[in-house]
Protein backbone atom coordinates (compact mmCIF):
# COMPACT_ATOMS: atom_id res chain seq x y z
CA UNK A 1 0.00 0.00 0.00
CA UNK A 2 2.84 2.38 0.80
CA UNK A 3 4.40 1.68 -2.60
CA UNK A 4 1.08 2.39 -4.29
CA UNK A 5 0.78 5.68 -2.43
CA UNK A 6 4.32 6.64 -3.43
CA UNK A 7 3.52 5.75 -7.04
CA UNK A 8 0.33 7.83 -7.00
CA UNK A 9 2.23 10.76 -5.52
CA UNK A 10 4.94 10.49 -8.20
CA UNK A 11 2.27 10.42 -10.92
CA UNK A 12 0.62 13.60 -9.66
CA UNK A 13 0.48 16.35 -12.21
CA UNK A 14 1.72 19.80 -11.26
CA UNK A 15 -1.89 20.99 -11.25
CA UNK A 16 -2.71 18.69 -8.30
CA UNK A 17 0.11 20.20 -6.24
CA UNK A 18 -0.67 23.80 -7.18
CA UNK A 19 -4.45 23.54 -6.71
CA UNK A 20 -4.50 23.25 -2.87
CA UNK A 21 -2.26 26.30 -2.55
CA UNK A 22 -4.17 28.33 -5.15
CA UNK A 23 -7.55 27.38 -3.66
CA UNK A 24 -6.45 28.35 -0.14
CA UNK A 25 -5.05 31.71 -1.30
CA UNK A 26 -8.17 32.43 -3.37
CA UNK A 27 -10.49 31.56 -0.49
CA UNK A 28 -8.60 33.78 1.93
CA UNK A 29 -8.61 36.60 -0.62
CA UNK A 30 -12.35 36.31 -1.21
CA UNK A 31 -13.07 36.16 2.52
CA UNK A 32 -10.94 39.26 3.18
CA UNK A 33 -12.52 41.24 0.32
CA UNK A 34 -16.06 40.18 1.19
CA UNK A 35 -15.57 41.06 4.86
CA UNK A 36 -14.03 44.44 4.01
CA UNK A 37 -16.83 45.44 1.63
CA UNK A 38 -19.81 44.07 3.54
CA UNK A 39 -19.07 43.22 7.18
CA UNK A 40 -16.31 45.63 8.25
CA UNK A 41 -18.81 48.00 9.87
CA UNK A 42 -21.18 45.29 11.10
CA UNK A 43 -21.77 44.70 14.84
CA UNK A 44 -19.85 41.44 14.56
CA UNK A 45 -16.67 43.32 13.66
CA UNK A 46 -13.65 41.13 13.10
CA UNK A 47 -15.51 38.04 14.23
CA UNK A 48 -17.85 38.35 11.25
CA UNK A 49 -14.93 36.85 9.30
CA UNK A 50 -15.93 33.43 10.61
CA UNK A 51 -19.43 33.77 9.20
CA UNK A 52 -17.98 34.88 5.86
CA UNK A 53 -15.79 31.77 5.77
CA UNK A 54 -18.89 29.68 6.48
CA UNK A 55 -20.37 30.78 3.15
CA UNK A 56 -17.35 29.88 1.01
CA UNK A 57 -15.33 27.17 2.79
CA UNK A 58 -17.42 24.12 1.93
CA UNK A 59 -17.85 25.20 -1.70
CA UNK A 60 -14.08 25.67 -2.08
CA UNK A 61 -13.22 22.27 -0.62
CA UNK A 62 -15.87 20.47 -2.66
CA UNK A 63 -14.75 22.12 -5.88
CA UNK A 64 -11.14 21.19 -5.08
CA UNK A 65 -12.20 17.57 -4.57
CA UNK A 66 -14.00 17.60 -7.92
CA UNK A 67 -10.93 18.79 -9.79
CA UNK A 68 -8.39 16.66 -7.90
CA UNK A 69 -10.23 13.37 -8.34
CA UNK A 70 -10.84 14.07 -12.02
CA UNK A 71 -7.24 14.97 -12.83
CA UNK A 72 -5.87 12.01 -10.87
CA UNK A 73 -8.08 9.53 -12.74
CA UNK A 74 -7.68 11.14 -16.16
CA UNK A 75 -4.12 9.84 -16.60
CA UNK A 76 -5.28 6.21 -16.60
CA UNK A 77 -8.27 7.01 -18.81
CA UNK A 78 -6.19 8.91 -21.37
CA UNK A 79 -3.55 6.18 -21.65
CA UNK A 80 -6.16 3.37 -21.38
CA UNK A 81 -4.08 1.41 -18.87
CA UNK A 82 -6.78 0.45 -16.37
CA UNK A 83 -6.79 -3.15 -17.63
CA UNK A 84 -3.01 -3.46 -17.33
CA UNK A 85 -2.95 -1.64 -14.00
CA UNK A 86 -5.44 -4.12 -12.59
CA UNK A 87 -3.23 -7.10 -13.57
CA UNK A 88 -0.29 -6.14 -11.34
CA UNK A 89 0.11 -8.41 -8.29
CA UNK A 90 -1.68 -6.17 -5.79
CA UNK A 91 -5.27 -6.12 -4.62
CA UNK A 92 -7.40 -4.13 -7.07
CA UNK A 93 -9.18 -2.39 -4.23
CA UNK A 94 -5.83 -1.00 -3.02
CA UNK A 95 -5.40 0.80 -6.34
CA UNK A 96 -8.76 2.48 -5.82
CA UNK A 97 -8.03 3.17 -2.16
CA UNK A 98 -4.65 4.76 -2.93
CA UNK A 99 -6.28 7.40 -5.14
CA UNK A 100 -8.82 8.17 -2.41
CA UNK A 101 -6.08 8.55 0.23
CA UNK A 102 -3.90 10.82 -1.92
CA UNK A 103 -6.93 13.01 -2.67
CA UNK A 104 -7.63 13.31 1.07
CA UNK A 105 -3.97 14.12 1.75
CA UNK A 106 -3.96 16.95 -0.82
CA UNK A 107 -7.23 18.26 0.60
CA UNK A 108 -5.82 18.14 4.14
CA UNK A 109 -2.84 20.21 2.98
CA UNK A 110 -5.31 22.77 1.62
CA UNK A 111 -7.12 22.84 4.98
CA UNK A 112 -3.87 23.40 6.88
CA UNK A 113 -2.98 26.27 4.54
CA UNK A 114 -6.41 27.83 5.13
CA UNK A 115 -5.98 27.59 8.91
CA UNK A 116 -2.46 29.04 8.80
CA UNK A 117 -3.48 31.79 6.40
CA UNK A 118 -6.48 32.77 8.51
CA UNK A 119 -4.32 33.08 11.62
CA UNK A 120 -1.76 35.21 9.76
CA UNK A 121 -4.42 37.52 8.32
CA UNK A 122 -6.06 37.89 11.73
CA UNK A 123 -2.76 38.88 13.33
CA UNK A 124 -2.08 41.40 10.56
CA UNK A 125 -5.43 43.17 10.41
CA UNK A 126 -7.24 42.68 13.74
CA UNK A 127 -6.36 43.66 17.27
CA UNK A 128 -8.85 41.30 18.92
CA UNK A 129 -7.63 37.92 20.20
CA UNK A 130 -7.86 35.32 17.46
CA UNK A 131 -10.68 32.79 18.03
CA UNK A 132 -8.32 29.87 17.46
CA UNK A 133 -10.92 27.28 18.40
CA UNK A 134 -13.25 28.31 15.58
CA UNK A 135 -10.40 29.05 13.15
CA UNK A 136 -9.13 25.49 13.58
CA UNK A 137 -12.40 23.63 14.06
CA UNK A 138 -14.31 25.10 11.13
CA UNK A 139 -11.91 23.91 8.37
CA UNK A 140 -11.16 20.59 10.11
CA UNK A 141 -14.84 19.79 10.65
CA UNK A 142 -15.57 20.67 7.04
CA UNK A 143 -12.72 18.37 5.94
CA UNK A 144 -14.19 15.46 7.89
CA UNK A 145 -17.69 16.14 6.58
CA UNK A 146 -16.51 16.36 2.96
CA UNK A 147 -15.10 12.80 2.96
CA UNK A 148 -18.46 11.44 1.78
CA UNK A 149 -18.21 13.75 -1.23
CA UNK A 150 -14.62 12.57 -1.82
CA UNK A 151 -15.87 8.98 -2.03
CA UNK A 152 -18.59 9.95 -4.51
CA UNK A 153 -16.26 11.90 -6.78
CA UNK A 154 -13.53 9.24 -6.66
CA UNK A 155 -16.02 6.66 -7.91
CA UNK A 156 -17.40 8.94 -10.64
CA UNK A 157 -13.94 9.92 -11.88
CA UNK A 158 -12.70 6.34 -12.08
CA UNK A 159 -15.83 4.73 -13.51
CA UNK A 160 -16.47 7.24 -16.31
CA UNK A 161 -13.78 7.91 -18.90
CA UNK A 162 -15.51 11.13 -19.91
CA UNK A 163 -14.42 13.42 -17.09
CA UNK A 164 -16.98 16.06 -18.02
CA UNK A 165 -19.56 13.86 -16.29
CA UNK A 166 -17.61 13.72 -13.03
CA UNK A 167 -16.70 17.42 -13.12
CA UNK A 168 -20.26 18.42 -14.01
CA UNK A 169 -21.72 16.33 -11.20
CA UNK A 170 -19.16 17.65 -8.71
CA UNK A 171 -19.65 21.29 -9.68
CA UNK A 172 -23.43 20.93 -9.55
CA UNK A 173 -23.22 19.21 -6.16
CA UNK A 174 -20.89 21.90 -4.81
CA UNK A 175 -23.24 24.70 -5.79
CA UNK A 176 -26.39 22.83 -4.76
CA UNK A 177 -24.94 22.13 -1.29
CA UNK A 178 -25.16 25.83 -0.40
CA UNK A 179 -28.91 25.80 -1.04
CA UNK A 180 -29.70 22.28 0.21
CA UNK A 181 -28.07 23.01 3.57
CA UNK A 182 -30.37 26.00 4.03
CA UNK A 183 -33.49 24.19 2.89
CA UNK A 184 -36.55 24.20 5.12
CA UNK A 185 -37.03 20.48 4.36
CA UNK A 186 -34.94 18.60 6.95
CA UNK A 187 -34.88 15.43 4.85
CA UNK A 188 -32.62 17.17 2.32
CA UNK A 189 -30.00 17.72 5.01
CA UNK A 190 -29.23 13.99 5.02
CA UNK A 191 -27.82 14.10 1.50
CA UNK A 192 -23.97 13.78 1.48
CA UNK A 193 -23.61 17.11 -0.35
CA UNK A 194 -25.03 19.04 2.60
CA UNK A 195 -22.69 17.71 5.29
CA UNK A 196 -19.79 20.19 4.70
CA UNK A 197 -21.82 23.43 4.98
CA UNK A 198 -23.72 22.04 7.99
CA UNK A 199 -20.55 21.09 9.86
CA UNK A 200 -19.55 24.62 10.91
CA UNK A 201 -19.34 25.28 14.68
CA UNK A 202 -21.41 28.42 14.08
CA UNK A 203 -24.66 26.45 13.90
CA UNK A 204 -26.18 24.11 16.50
CA UNK A 205 -26.03 20.37 15.99
CA UNK A 206 -22.99 20.56 13.73
CA UNK A 207 -21.17 17.60 15.28
CA UNK A 208 -23.64 15.03 13.92
CA UNK A 209 -22.92 16.18 10.36
CA UNK A 210 -19.19 15.79 10.96
CA UNK A 211 -19.72 12.18 12.04
CA UNK A 212 -22.19 11.66 9.19
CA UNK A 213 -19.54 12.72 6.70
CA UNK A 214 -17.03 10.32 8.22
CA UNK A 215 -19.44 7.38 8.42
CA UNK A 216 -21.03 7.82 5.00
CA UNK A 217 -17.60 8.46 3.50
CA UNK A 218 -16.31 5.12 4.77
CA UNK A 219 -19.44 3.28 3.60
CA UNK A 220 -19.28 4.83 0.13
CA UNK A 221 -15.54 4.16 -0.05
CA UNK A 222 -16.12 0.48 0.75
CA UNK A 223 -18.86 0.31 -1.88
CA UNK A 224 -16.59 1.97 -4.45
CA UNK A 225 -13.74 -0.46 -3.68
CA UNK A 226 -16.12 -3.41 -4.02
CA UNK A 227 -17.45 -2.18 -7.36
CA UNK A 228 -13.95 -1.42 -8.67
CA UNK A 229 -12.79 -4.88 -7.60
CA UNK A 230 -15.63 -6.60 -9.48
CA UNK A 231 -15.50 -4.42 -12.61
CA UNK A 232 -14.15 -6.12 -15.72
CA UNK A 233 -11.70 -3.67 -17.21
Amino acid sequence: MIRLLRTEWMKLRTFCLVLPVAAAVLLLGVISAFWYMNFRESPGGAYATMSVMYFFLSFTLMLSVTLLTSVMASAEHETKVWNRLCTIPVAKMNIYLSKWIVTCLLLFIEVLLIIAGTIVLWKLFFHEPAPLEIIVKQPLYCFCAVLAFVSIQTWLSIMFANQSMAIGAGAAGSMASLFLARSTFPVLHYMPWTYPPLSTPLIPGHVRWVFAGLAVGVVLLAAGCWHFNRKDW
Side-chain angles (χ1 to χ4, degrees):
M1 192 64 203
I2 293 177
R3 290 179 178 177
L4 279 174
L5 292 174
R6 287 176 178 173
T7 301
E8 284 296 331
W9 190 265
M10 292 173 63
K11 289 192 302 180
L12 285 178
R13 298 181 178 181
T14 305
F15 176 83
C16 293
L17 300 174
V18 173
L19 178 63
V21 179
V25 172
L26 183 61
L27 173 64
L28 293 172
V30 170
I31 290 173
S32 301
F34 200 83
W35 173 84
Y36 184 83
M37 292 186 295
N38 297 280
F39 291 93
R40 183 162 51 100
E41 304 297 336
S42 69
Y47 295 94
T49 306
M50 297 298 100
S51 62
V52 177
M53 179 179 286
Y54 164 62
F55 286 110
F56 299 102
L57 177 63
S58 61
F59 177 77
T60 301
L61 293 186
M62 293 175 75
L63 203 57
S64 296
V65 169
T66 300
L67 296 175
L68 287 173
T69 52
S70 178
V71 172
M72 288 179 61
S74 63
E76 283 78 8
H77 287 304
E78 291 172 0
T79 54
K80 303 184 186 301
V81 297
W82 278 118
N83 56 341
R84 282 180 287 173
L85 188 62
C86 291
T87 59
I88 62 177
V90 296
K92 287 174 64 176
M93 64 177 295
N94 285 351
I95 298 172
Y96 185 97
L97 185 59
S98 65
K99 290 189 174 294
W100 187 89
I101 292 175
V102 172
T103 301
C104 292
L105 178 59
L106 291 169
L107 194 66
F108 187 67
I109 292 173
E110 181 176 329
V111 166
L112 292 181
L113 291 174
I114 291 171
I115 293 173
T118 304
I119 294 174
V120 170
L121 288 176
W122 193 284
K123 295 295 184 181
L124 289 175
F125 297 109
F126 305 134
H127 300 292
E128 293 87 346
L132 293 178
E133 185 175 0
I134 298 180
I135 289 177
V136 173
K137 281 185 176 181
Q138 187 154 263
L140 286 180
Y141 283 179
C142 191
F143 169 78
C144 294
V146 86
L147 293 182
F149 184 72
V150 175
S151 298
I152 293 173
Q153 289 302 127
T154 299
W155 181 82
L156 287 173
S157 299
I158 292 177
M159 291 301 139
F160 296 98
N162 186 354
Q163 290 303 298
S164 62
M165 299 179 64
I167 293 176
S174 301
M175 290 184 289
S177 67
L178 300 175
F179 303 98
L180 294 173
R182 294 166 178 79
S183 172
T184 55
F185 299 99
V187 66
L188 295 178
H189 295 173
Y190 291 92
M191 301 175 67
W193 296 271
T194 65
Y195 301 160
L198 290 174
S199 64
T200 175
L202 299 177
I203 61 176
H206 61 277
V207 175
R208 62 171 174 169
W209 303 115
V210 176
F211 285 109
L214 291 170
V216 174
V218 171
V219 171
L220 293 178
L221 173 62
C225 289
W226 176 83
H227 185 224
F228 181 82
N229 193 51
R230 291 180 59 88
K231 183 175 174 62
D232 184 9
W233 293 95

